[in-house]
Amino acid sequence: AIATIERETISVAYVKAEVEALVQETGRDVEALLTREDVEEIMLSPKAGRVFSNVGVDVEGMVEVADIRLFKDSDQVRTCDLVGLVLQLRGQNIATVKDIVNLQKFIVEEWSFLAEKISVVVRAVDRASKAPKSMSTGGIGDHVIVPALDNGMQASGFTPLTCLTTPANSTKESTKEAL
């Protein structure tokens, strides 16, 4: 147990020192806040790739999640936040209940965001379908976009939008039959 703690202490000190060195090598102060662009520049440096690989972090995976994890609530982060992310993404770490709960919260937030965007599209399509044919802005060529809702998923409170195209001169009844 003591050896594990010592290894972890050494690993944390190594990551902290290396990330701070990366920040300084890009001409930034370790105590200053970092922007998205700063973090991207740091993560894409060849030395960062070596450092992250040495501690078991998938560099490509880190680049993909850094924006979500670091900049979700703010446009700037501290160097210690970047160090923390590197430590969290090490390959030897196992998922905890807290990680799963955070993932669940993230998914719920993203689905809510997407559901709101879909709702906006559905309202726009509904308005466009009620406009006179000559003024319809929902058309693509000689087709009109028609929203189709999957009733099986409506019970769960989520209503995905699938866009079907129907000829612009079709009636509402023929459109409903196609759905």
Side-chain angles (χ1 to χ4, degrees):
I2 292 176
T4 304
I5 293 171
E6 287 176 357
R7 277 194 306 271
E8 181 66 12
T9 302
I10 291 168
S11 180
V12 168
Y14 171 76
V15 169
K16 183 177 186 280
E18 291 296 324
V19 169
E20 287 177 353
L22 288 168
V23 170
Q24 290 172 340
E25 286 174 13
T26 60
R28 291 166 181 85
D29 181 13
V30 174
E31 299 299 321
L33 294 174
L34 303 171
T35 65
R36 272 187 178 85
E37 293 78 21
D38 297 338
V39 171
E40 183 177 308
E41 181 182 343
I42 292 164
M43 288 191 309
L44 295 177
S45 73
K47 184 177 178 187
R50 288 188 299 277
V51 169
F52 298 154
S53 292
N54 287 344
V55 294
V57 173
D58 172 30
V59 179
E60 291 177 16
M62 182 172 173
V63 170
E64 290 177 15
V65 300
D67 191 49
I68 296 168
R69 297 289 301 265
L70 292 176
F71 297 102
K72 181 176 172 78
D73 299 322
S74 176
D75 290 336
Q76 297 180 324
V77 296
R78 300 171 300 169
T79 300
C80 64
D81 296 326
L82 182 57
V83 170
L85 179 64
V86 172
L87 292 170
Q88 286 178 344
L89 296 178
R90 291 178 293 172
Q92 71 229 26
N93 292 346
I94 58 172
T96 64
V97 171
K98 181 182 175 186
D99 295 329
I100 303 301
V101 169
N102 287 337
L103 176 62
Q104 180 184 16
K105 287 179 183 177
F106 171 76
I107 291 171
V108 167
E109 288 173 4
E110 289 300 307
W111 275 111
S112 296
F113 174 77
L114 289 173
E116 178 59 33
K117 293 292 183 187
I118 290 169
S119 176
V120 169
V121 171
V122 168
R123 285 192 300 270
V125 169
D126 188 44
R127 281 192 309 272
S129 68
K130 291 178 183 174
K133 295 290 183 199
S134 62
M135 296 181 64
S136 176
T137 58
I140 299 176
D142 60 348
H143 291 77
V144 175
I145 298 173
V146 179
L149 298 176
D150 180 330
N151 291 328
M153 294 190 67
Q154 287 179 0
S156 68
F158 180 72
T159 54
L161 171 71
T162 311
C163 288
L164 304 174
T165 60
T166 60
N169 60 359
S170 68
T171 65
K172 286 188 178 184
E173 284 69 29
S174 65
T175 302
K176 287 179 185 175
E177 291 171 10
L179 297 176

